[in-house]
Amino acid sequence: NASPSTPSSIPAIDCNITSGKRETALFQHTMSISGMQAFDDPQHPVFLASSWIVSQDPMQSCPDDPNLTQRYVLVLLYYFTSGDNW
């Protein structure tokens, strides 16, 4: 069995907003938690986690999802601990 290269996923949910508004709102949310400094480095765990939440997460979390912060922090933990390589 091959190990997944990204955090585990769950089914997608429709947010009833445009994808552009969703992406903007999600990045604003993650920046409010992590700050803007790390977003300058595309290899930084904060950038990777935010990008994953916005564009790769099969759940497609909505900006008003009450579990968004928890999900983001868990993805941060995944990337800060080197993902599948820890």
Side-chain angles (χ1 to χ4, degrees), residues 37-51:
Q37 307 86 314
F39 284 88
D40 291 335
D41 179 1
Q43 297 304 313
H44 194 281
V46 167
F47 184 91
L48 294 171
S50 295
S51 296

Side-chain angles (χ1 to χ4, degrees), residues 61-76:
S61 296
C62 298
D64 62 350
D65 184 334
N67 297 316
L68 177 58
T69 298
Q70 178 183 19
R71 188 162 179 82
Y72 173 64
V73 170
L74 290 172
V75 176
L76 276 175

Side-chain angles (χ1 to χ4, degrees), residues 13-48:
I13 297 173
D14 182 15
C15 297
N16 293 320
I17 59 174
T18 66
S19 62
K21 287 182 181 181
R22 179 187 162 275
E23 288 178 11
T24 298
L26 289 174
F27 272 120
Q28 288 173 342
H29 182 80
T30 59
M31 279 190 246
S32 74
I33 295 167
S34 300
M36 293 182 62
Q37 307 86 314
F39 284 88
D40 291 335
D41 179 1
Q43 297 304 313
H44 194 281
V46 167
F47 184 91
L48 294 171

